[in-house]
Amino acid sequence: MKTPIDSVANVPHERGNCAVQIDGVTKAFGKGEASTVALSGVDVHMFLGEMTLLVGPSGCGKTTLISIIAGLLNPTSGSVTILGTRLDRLSGSKQVRFRAQNIGFVFQQYNLLPTLSAVENVAVPLLIAGMSRRLAVQHAAKMLGAVELEHRADARPNQLSGGQQQRVAIARSLIHEPRILVCDEPTAALDTQSGQNVMQLLARVAVDQNRAVIIVTHDNRILQFGQRIIHMSDGTVEFVDDKSKGEGHDRQ
């Protein structure tokens, strides 16, 4: 099995194919007078080979948007096309299968299993997919090498620093070669240097021409890592800072 570290690439100079296409998406929670609108007519594209940052104040709709992209929530209206597939038209079981095959997650609180070693945590997605334990651990050990933690393979999460735990979480998220990687506040719990190290790691290991990396963040210290920065407010996209064009755009 080929792993992500066999084909690590720098961010390409030319824009890749569209990975995520959001058209006219709205999302409301509740009904009637109790209804709360989280997203209101969102239109945005995200591309393979790029790191896209979603920024904006708390409650602006960032988490709702990535949950819809990941198939964890369905939109109230609008269309969600992920890697050419209309995700909003898939049944629940097909969405789960699509997510397992194509999307990786990095969580703010790492979500490592405390009773497992670092290498065992990284191997979990492969074990769930049915790979033998021996092969899964082999691939996980190689992935830990890519994030420079091979020397801590046998350590439990409580024996690792915050930055090291986040590296394990990144390795786990990439082990099944997802084409979309979603990161929810990956540097929020880290000091400045550890946060920079994690972002440099994501730029080096996660971003390649066949993968889109999407990061939700409040952390202004990491904005320089994004090829596109999508600014959200009150459930809408205010503008997109597209570094490939050297300017901001109102939409997409």
Side-chain angles (χ1 to χ4, degrees), residues 11 14-15 22 24 29 36-37 41 46 55 64 84 93 95 108 113 127 129 154 180 182-183 188 192 195 212 218 241:
V11 178
E14 296 184 1
R15 172 148 289 159
I22 304 294
F29 297 95
T36 300
V37 176
M46 303 175 189
V55 303
T64 301
S93 60
Q95 282 189 357
Q108 179 178 343
L113 298 174
L127 295 170
D154 295 327
I180 294 177
V182 176
C183 306
T192 297
H218 287 95
D241 181 10

Side-chain angles (χ1 to χ4, degrees), residues 187-219:
T187 63
L190 303 177
D191 60 59
T192 297
Q193 187 57 56
S194 296
Q196 292 289 306
N197 291 343
V198 163
M199 292 304 299
Q200 290 168 4
L201 178 67
L202 284 169
R204 176 174 60 84
V205 177
V207 178
D208 73 30
Q209 62 186 350
N210 293 312
R211 181 181 297 116
V213 178
I214 305 165
I215 297 177
V216 169
T217 186
H218 287 95
D219 190 350

Side-chain angles (χ1 to χ4, degrees), residues 4-145:
I5 44 184
D6 294 320
S7 57
V8 173
N10 294 322
V11 178
H13 296 292
E14 296 184 1
R15 172 148 289 159
N17 294 327
C18 187
V20 175
Q21 183 174 337
I22 304 294
D23 293 312
V25 162
T26 68
K27 181 62 181 179
F29 297 95
K31 296 181 179 180
E33 294 182 357
S35 176
T36 300
V37 176
L39 296 176
S40 180
V42 171
D43 299 295
V44 73
H45 294 173
M46 303 175 189
F47 298 90
L48 296 173
E50 293 186 353
M51 182 181 290
T52 300
L53 305 187
L54 287 175
V55 303
S58 297
C60 71
K62 302 186 302 295
T63 298
T64 301
L65 180 56
I66 62 166
S67 296
I68 288 174
I69 290 171
L72 299 173
L73 289 175
N74 288 319
T76 301
S77 63
S79 64
V80 181
T81 304
I82 310 296
L83 302 171
T85 296
R86 278 290 300 271
L87 192 60
D88 54 296
R89 290 181 174 174
L90 297 182
S91 66
S93 60
K94 289 183 178 179
Q95 282 189 357
V96 170
R97 187 156 53 248
F98 182 90
R99 186 165 60 243
Q101 293 172 345
N102 295 288
I103 300 176
F105 295 90
V106 177
F107 302 96
Q108 179 178 343
Q109 298 301 325
Y110 321 132
N111 288 1
L112 301 179
L113 298 174
T115 59
L116 299 184
S117 67
V119 72
E120 289 169 337
N121 267 285
V122 176
V124 164
L126 299 182
L127 295 170
I128 291 174
M131 183 177 289
S132 71
R133 187 182 187 283
R134 182 180 63 83
L135 284 177
V137 169
Q138 285 180 0
H139 289 304
K142 191 175 182 182
M143 193 70 242
L144 277 180

